[in-house]
Amino acid sequence: MLLALMIAMMLAMLDNMIVGTAMPTIVGDLGGLEHLSWVVTGYTLATAASTPVWGKLGDMYGRKGAFLTSIVIFLIGSALSGMAQDMGQLIGFRAVQGLGAGGLMVGVMAIIGDLIPPRERGKYQGMMAGVMALAMIGGPLVGGTITDNWGWRWAFYINLPLGAVALALVTAVLHLPRKRSQAGIDYLGVVLLTVGITSIVLVTTWGGTEYAWTSARIMELIGIGVAALVGFVFWQTRAAEPVLPLHIFRSRNFTLMSVIGFITGFVMFGATLFLPLYQQAVQGASATNSGLLLLPMLGAMLVTSMVAGRVTTNSGKYKVFPIAGGVLMIVGMYLLSLMDTGTTRLTSGIYMAVVGAGMGCLMQITMLVAQNSVEMKDMGVASSSATLFRTLGSSFGVAIMGALFNHRVQDVMAERAGALGKNITEKSAQLDAKSLQKLPAAAREAYQHAVSSGTHSAFVLGAGIAVLVLIAALFVKEVPLKGGPKAPAEGADPAPQAVVEVV
């Protein structure tokens, strides 16, 4: 059963990594360069918007059915994407794929939340962190290999055999109680939340790139998003079966974990975006090697996540890990901001390991505490909310840190290389390795200084934002985890353990 859940989790996390490597080949085959960003944006929008819905459907009608449905939709989207004949079809099919992907991660987390008592759940953190690290490192390598040897369409088709295995295992092995809610689906809530989330993601995706931050289009999206989310909150207090029941936010720990998850996504995805860029432009690493050079960060994340899980399982104590994670993230991001054109790979590897250790203390603990803070009937919406906040955090992190990076690179290039530097970065502040080698020596040196300065600004911002993790962690109340190898904590719900015994 656990194998099936890990495969499904791998599908959700690996897809964008593989497809990202194949994008240049896809554009060369299908054309439509001007719509390239929508291949990723369409998938991200559909994933973010559907995440809370999948969580609620699992709560209302049963986890197994919702999880199997999400896998099937993801596989249909994968097959259709592989058969796309133009960029418009690919974008639409990627959106279908994203709808299914929204239920994969939530389904894994919620099912584990149903089957495993929180006190025992820490044992599985290392496995989840390992899958994440494997996806982040292996995704670009697998994507490049598949594209070079089999063609870009297999970047999507590769999901089919893996998904079939997950479907078969989940169907045969996973046994969960069936549910049937008498209440209908909160369609108005779904629409309002979808519009709000879509507007937020589009603002963070388009702002500073497609449109100026002060442009009419961005202002319109901000207005629509705010109005939709305000309307959503108002409606959730009146809906018979709200898609995101607001009472779960009455738990201080759940609210704090949502904040910590948002900031963790902000910092983590910002770091993983700019570190390979720095390694390629400044340290001279190839695209493939830049992924491997992230191993110190991902290895440290894996080790600390396993240690945190084991300690939490044995002691039932967890507050120390969000605090330690906040401190390590602040220190690690500050150290990364010190990197310049003379920083060695060993030094940058040590700095990355500090950041990775901080992430390892936070990644799964936030989900564990969020799930421990709600009743069993709200396990799905708790899992989906935690996942959604991390996803939104990553969107904001990539957008805001990216805008700061691009602005700084363009300024430094204009200062150091004059009109030539301005022309080089006029359309994009990020150059690939081939483009960088074609530059004159003076311009190339100026670009290396510019990238170093840009990453400095982005990482300083990350360190400042990470301070909020530490502040939030200090207010976490250490509520005893339900279940455990010994006697359950007073007031603990024994239902999760009963489910495990039935399975």
Side-chain angles (χ1 to χ4, degrees):
M1 185 272 291
L2 189 60
L3 175 62
L5 297 181
M6 293 300 104
I7 291 175
M9 187 175 178
M10 175 73 78
L11 286 174
M13 301 195 64
L14 197 61
D15 188 75
N16 262 341
M17 300 289 181
I18 292 179
V19 173
T21 309
M23 284 312 300
T25 306
I26 293 174
V27 171
D29 189 12
L30 298 182
L33 178 62
E34 66 276 13
H35 303 302
L36 174 64
S37 63
W38 275 103
V39 176
V40 176
T41 302
Y43 179 90
T44 304
L45 280 175
T47 301
S50 64
T51 292
V53 179
W54 285 114
K56 187 61 180 179
L57 288 176
D59 286 339
M60 293 175 64
Y61 303 111
R63 308 262 181 258
K64 184 174 181 178
F67 189 49
L68 289 173
T69 303
S70 69
I71 295 176
V72 170
I73 293 175
F74 181 83
L75 295 181
I76 291 173
S78 298
L80 292 174
S81 296
M83 293 185 287
Q85 298 302 307
D86 57 51
M87 190 61 76
Q89 290 183 9
L90 180 60
I91 292 169
F93 296 150
R94 282 281 285 166
V96 174
Q97 195 182 19
L99 288 175
L104 294 181
M105 185 70 73
V106 172
V108 170
M109 297 298 182
I111 288 171
I112 289 178
D114 268 356
L115 297 180
I116 312 297
R119 181 67 180 269
E120 298 294 312
R121 214 170 291 157
K123 295 177 181 178
Y124 300 89
Q125 289 178 2
M127 296 181 187
M128 296 179 186
V131 169
M132 181 177 295
L134 185 61
M136 294 177 74
I137 296 173
L141 299 176
V142 173
T145 302
I146 289 175
T147 303
D148 290 341
N149 293 283
W150 298 345
W152 66 265
R153 297 183 186 278
W154 277 96
F156 299 104
Y157 292 151
I158 193 66
N159 294 326
L160 302 181
L162 292 174
V165 171
L167 270 176
L169 290 175
V170 170
T171 303
V173 178
L174 183 62
H175 304 292
L176 291 171
R178 294 184 178 181
K179 302 178 183 179
R180 183 65 189 178
S181 174
Q182 298 300 317
I185 297 175
D186 178 17
Y187 291 106
L188 179 57
V190 170
V191 171
L192 289 171
L193 183 60
T194 300
V195 172
I197 291 174
T198 299
S199 299
I200 290 173
V201 174
L202 287 179
V203 167
T204 58
T205 303
W206 285 350
T209 54
E210 298 288 330
Y211 303 94
W213 285 105
T214 55
S215 67
R217 180 60 55 86
I218 296 299
M219 292 297 105
E220 289 170 1
L221 285 171
I222 291 175
I224 292 171
V226 170
L229 293 178
V230 170
F232 172 76
V233 172
F234 175 79
W235 174 247
Q236 293 306 281
T237 62
R238 287 159 174 75
E241 191 65 50
V243 67
L244 184 61
L246 301 182
H247 66 80
I248 61 177
F249 292 98
R250 295 173 187 166
S251 166
R252 182 172 73 182
N253 277 6
F254 182 85
T255 302
L256 290 172
M257 288 304 115
S258 299
V259 172
I260 291 174
F262 180 92
I263 299 169
T264 301
F266 187 107
V267 174
M268 183 182 74
F269 283 89
T272 53
L273 173 66
F274 294 109
L275 280 171
L277 184 60
Y278 169 85
Q279 290 161 342
Q280 291 178 50
V282 180
Q283 296 183 329
S286 66
T288 301
N289 287 340
S290 66
L292 295 176
L293 288 172
L294 290 177
L295 276 173
M297 182 175 72
L298 301 174
M301 182 177 72
L302 175 59
V303 171
T304 52
S305 183
M306 294 178 67
V307 171
R310 181 60 60 183
V311 172
T312 301
T313 297
N314 293 338
S315 67
K317 305 293 184 182
Y318 53 80
K319 182 175 179 176
V320 64
F321 294 111
I323 294 175
V327 171
L328 288 169
M329 277 182 57
I330 294 169
V331 173
M333 293 301 288
Y334 173 73
L335 291 174
L336 289 180
S337 74
L338 300 178
M339 296 190 304
D340 55 26
T341 55
T343 303
T344 66
R345 292 184 181 181
L346 174 62
T347 301
S348 60
I350 294 172
Y351 295 169
M352 283 188 282
V354 177
V355 176
M359 292 177 183
C361 291
L362 294 168
M363 287 300 295
Q364 303 304 329
I365 288 292
T366 52
M367 180 65 73
L368 170 65
V369 178
Q371 291 179 335
N372 190 61
S373 303
V374 301
E375 300 177 27
M376 284 295 296
K377 67 182 180 67
D378 293 322
M379 187 65 68
V381 292
S383 302
S384 64
S385 297
T387 304
L388 175 63
F389 280 110
R390 187 179 298 171
T391 301
L392 293 178
S394 67
S395 294
F396 275 88
V398 169
I400 296 175
M401 294 173 77
L404 186 64
F405 170 85
N406 288 342
H407 180 73
R408 187 60 185 155
V409 168
Q410 290 170 356
D411 284 350
V412 173
M413 283 295 286
E415 292 172 5
R416 286 181 169 265
L420 175 61
K422 185 177 181 180
N423 291 334
I424 290 172
T425 58
E426 196 170 38
K427 295 183 179 180
S428 174
Q430 300 181 27
L431 303 179
D432 57 29
K434 292 182 179 179
S435 300
L436 188 59
Q437 291 301 319
K438 295 178 182 178
L439 295 178
R444 185 163 59 248
E445 182 181 351
Y447 183 72
Q448 290 174 335
H449 282 281
V451 169
S452 177
S453 180
T455 53
H456 166 79
S457 299
F459 293 145
V460 166
L461 174 63
I465 295 294
V467 172
L468 298 177
V469 171
L470 179 59
I471 294 173
L474 293 174
F475 288 94
V476 172
K477 183 180 180 182
E478 197 154 46
V479 179
L481 295 174
K482 301 169 186 177
K486 298 180 181 179
E490 184 178 353
D493 185 354
Q497 185 62 40
V499 173
V500 175
E501 291 171 356
V502 170
V503 174

